[in-house]
């Protein structure tokens, strides 16, 4: 399928977003973003962009025009996700916040470990939160106190995301070690 590439430096400014066809042809491009670290093509064709330096998550059309934004975040955002109910999940180093399109806070989940910071995170289809902490600790939580998985991976350095797979397994990329592995809910490489 199509590939979405996010670069957070260069491109005549502070980064860019490109989409390529399966034939590796450029489908569209914008550099009207500030240090993007995450982007997702939405069902309507627009793009949800996490802009680190701008302290903002925005929805943009394919020309880069901002259609919606949650700006002035208290801390730098790492990830964002449009949820099935239309709300937006914003992941910052302090935790997860879910907001309506009208920017009303629905819920907030703090980092569960004192002194830790979230490096990457997402909300899974079952409602659980999956996060990678800066120390390399991975946690899947079903609410504030229900821990489904808790294990460590190699120091994440270049890690950008983690994906939950069926059967309590996780896909873990690690740029520093130039590999992608599948681990179980205890962190054992399969």
């Amino acid at each position: 399928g199509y590939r979405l590439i996010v670069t957070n430096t260069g491109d005549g400014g502070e980064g860019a977003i490109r989409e390529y066809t399966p034939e590796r042809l450029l489908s569209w491009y914008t550099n009207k973003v500030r240090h993007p670290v995450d982007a997702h093509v939405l069902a309507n064709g627009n793009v949800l962009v996490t802009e680190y330096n701008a302290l903002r998550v925005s929805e943009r059309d394919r020309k880069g025009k901002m259609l919606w934004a949650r700006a002035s975040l208290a801390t730098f955002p790492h990830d964002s996700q449009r949820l099935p109910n239309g709300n937006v999940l914003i992941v910052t180093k302090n935790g997860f916040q879910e907001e309506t399109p009208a920017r009303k806070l629905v819920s907030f989940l703090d980092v569960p470990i004192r002194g830790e910071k979230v490096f990457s995170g997402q909300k899974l289809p079952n409602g659980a939160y999956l996060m990678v902490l800066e120390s390399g600790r991975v946690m899947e939580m079903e609410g504030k106190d229900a821990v489904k998985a808790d294990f460590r991976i190699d120091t994440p350095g270049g890690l950008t995301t983690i994906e939950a797979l069926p059967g309590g397994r996780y896909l873990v990329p690690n740029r520093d070690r130039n590999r992608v592995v599948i681990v179980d809910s205890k962190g054992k490489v399969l």
Side-chain angles (χ1 to χ4, degrees):
Y2 283 74
R3 301 275 188 240
L4 196 64
I5 307 293
V6 177
T7 56
N8 54 33
T9 59
D11 291 296
E14 293 187 69
I17 301 169
R18 293 174 176 79
E19 183 179 62
Y20 291 92
T21 68
E23 297 78 29
R24 298 183 181 175
L25 300 173
L26 183 64
S27 171
W28 64 269
Y29 161 89
T30 183
N31 67 350
K32 297 177 182 177
V33 288
R34 289 191 53 211
H35 196 88
V37 293
D38 188 37
H40 303 276
V41 176
L42 303 173
N44 64 6
N46 293 334
V47 183
L48 187 66
V49 183
T50 306
E51 297 175 80
Y52 189 83
N53 282 351
L55 296 171
R56 164 176 71 210
V57 171
S58 62
E59 181 176 340
R60 296 170 179 263
D61 67 14
R62 299 286 179 122
K63 295 179 182 176
K65 180 182 175 188
M66 193 178 315
L67 306 171
W68 174 91
R70 172 55 169 93
S72 303
L73 293 166
T75 187
F76 297 105
H78 293 280
D79 295 304
S80 61
Q81 179 181 0
R82 174 66 50 83
L83 301 174
N85 63 6
N87 291 346
V88 175
L89 183 74
I90 300 169
V91 182
T92 71
K93 67 179 183 177
N94 297 331
F96 297 76
Q97 62 189 64
E98 183 177 336
E99 297 188 4
T100 67
R103 298 172 197 83
K104 179 182 177 194
L105 183 65
V106 174
S107 65
F108 187 85
L109 178 68
D110 284 315
V111 177
I113 309 298
R114 178 171 285 211
E116 283 273 23
K117 294 179 174 65
V118 176
F119 191 83
S120 178
Q122 61 184 286
K123 192 170 187 179
L124 302 175
N126 66 3
Y129 295 92
L130 178 62
M131 66 190 84
V132 178
L133 304 178
E134 286 185 344
S135 66
R137 188 172 185 172
V138 175
M139 298 182 79
E140 183 176 335
M141 299 185 66
E142 296 173 336
K144 293 187 178 201
D145 299 315
V147 178
K148 185 174 177 184
D150 185 354
F151 59 89
R152 291 194 182 279
I153 56 173
D154 291 335
T155 305
L159 182 67
T160 56
T161 189
I162 186 169
E163 286 191 38
L165 300 172
R169 300 172 305 138
Y170 303 90
L171 184 67
V172 182
N174 189 311
R175 184 178 67 202
D176 289 350
R177 300 211 184 234
N178 197 29
R179 67 181 185 159
V180 175
V181 296
I182 296 175
V183 300
D184 65 14
S185 62
K186 297 188 185 326
K188 180 182 174 190
V189 176
L190 303 175

